Amino acid sequence: MAELSLTGIAKSFEDTRVLEGISFDVHDAEFVSILGPSGSGKSTIFNLIGGLYQPDEGDIKLDGESIAGKRGSISYMPQSPSLFPWRTLLDNVMLGSEIVGQQDREASLQMIEKAGLGGYENAYPHQLSGGMKQRAAFIRSLLSPQPLICLDEPFSALDEFTRLEMQKWLLSLWSEYKRSVLFVTHNIEEALFLSDRVMVLSDRPARVKKEFKIPFERPRDESLLLTEEFLEWKKAIYNELRMIT
């Protein structure tokens, strides 16, 4: 179970106010995305949740317990896969569980097989494609013991076709394991396709300007992207973002 709650979060760096009164929740097994203009503080929110920064105001709770300023409470996947080049794929995906002494080789191998990476267990990162590296990084997140996964634009460096394939793969794996996910992206289509809710941030200092509850049923297929309803939702979010910039 993972229930994340941010209440009245404010953060400044020197004389620059980055966040102002940020409040939102991520419920158990929910997929929530954050959209906002560049420099609006999306990554700062992740760094606060991960305990790298301390909020100037407000509190961050996970399952009712304050985690403000505490590290190790979440699993985090950055834009780049961040695989260690000297470790095999298997050793990389077991890293998070290894750190806390909970590694399970058999479960890791099963997850690698489900991710379509069977046969690459002993391959090194330089032998993998970009999409394969991202799959490995996400498996590592799933195998880590923390109940909440924060994904920071994990597919931004991929081409459009590979990106869509990775989105579908992510949804299939997420629907099976049902971890709570907070996802940062600049891509409106991606946010709509993946999420239960989408939050739009204002320009700096960032506030939650508007929240969209996405009505599309699950499981979701790529044919959804071409429907009139999807395009109407995309237009609504686009217009909200356009009013900010």
Side-chain angles (χ1 to χ4, degrees):
M1 179 173 175
E3 294 272 351
L4 177 72
S5 176
L6 277 71
T7 307
I9 297 296
K11 184 64 181 176
S12 298
F13 295 100
E14 296 181 349
D15 296 328
T16 303
R17 194 74 154 176
V18 178
L19 305 175
E20 185 70 72
I22 293 284
S23 298
F24 65 83
D25 300 315
V26 179
H27 303 302
D28 187 44
E30 188 178 31
F31 200 121
V32 176
S33 286
I34 298 176
L35 282 169
S38 296
S40 61
K42 299 184 293 296
S43 294
T44 300
I45 291 173
F46 271 10
N47 287 329
L48 286 163
I49 296 170
L52 299 179
Y53 301 149
Q54 181 85 29
D56 298 334
E57 300 172 20
D59 199 8
I60 303 168
K61 292 184 178 180
L62 186 62
D63 293 334
E65 180 182 341
S66 178
I67 59 169
K70 296 181 181 179
R71 301 187 183 188
S73 300
I74 66 164
S75 179
Y76 174 65
M77 181 176 166
Q79 294 181 28
S80 61
S82 300
L83 304 179
F84 288 121
W86 60 87
R87 296 179 69 115
T88 64
L89 186 151
L90 176 60
D91 289 338
N92 266 294
V93 303
M94 290 198 301
L95 181 62
S97 54
E98 178 184 322
I99 291 172
V100 294
Q102 297 179 7
Q103 56 183 325
D104 186 333
R105 181 183 175 87
E106 192 57 39
S108 301
L109 288 170
Q110 290 176 7
M111 188 81 78
I112 287 170
E113 189 69 34
K114 286 181 180 179
L117 296 174
Y120 289 92
E121 299 87 355
N122 298 315
Y124 290 89
H126 74 273
Q127 298 171 306
L128 307 174
S129 69
M132 293 166 78
K133 291 176 186 177
Q134 292 291 40
R135 290 184 187 214
F138 185 67
I139 294 169
R140 180 177 60 195
S141 298
L142 278 176
L143 289 171
S144 296
Q146 296 89 348
L148 174 72
I149 301 176
C150 290
L151 305 176
D152 191 356
E153 297 190 76
F155 308 141
S156 60
L158 303 177
D159 63 80
E160 186 172 351
F161 178 76
T162 305
R163 184 173 186 144
L164 178 59
E165 290 303 307
M166 286 299 299
Q167 290 167 5
K168 292 191 295 183
W169 173 81
L170 172 59
L171 281 183
S172 67
L173 213 57
W174 173 79
S175 65
E176 182 175 354
Y177 290 92
K178 287 294 185 183
R179 299 282 285 277
S180 302
V181 172
L182 184 60
F183 189 94
V184 162
T185 180
H186 280 96
N187 189 294
I188 298 173
E189 280 194 2
E190 183 169 71
L192 274 171
F193 186 58
L194 295 174
S195 307
D196 296 306
R197 286 185 291 130
V198 174
M199 289 178 296
V200 175
L201 298 185
S202 69
D203 208 349
R204 186 179 294 180
R207 299 173 174 83
V208 178
K209 188 171 185 290
K210 189 158 185 177
E211 178 184 306
F212 294 87
K213 187 173 182 179
I214 310 305
F216 309 127
E217 293 183 357
R218 298 186 185 275
R220 294 176 185 171
D221 184 81
E222 63 187 287
S223 60
L224 172 66
L225 300 173
L226 299 178
T227 63
E228 189 64 35
E229 185 181 11
F230 187 91
L231 295 175
E232 286 299 318
W233 276 88
K234 181 179 177 181
K235 187 185 302 181
I237 295 177
Y238 171 79
N239 288 334
E240 196 67 40
L241 284 166
R242 188 174 63 176
M243 286 189 289
I244 297 170
T245 54

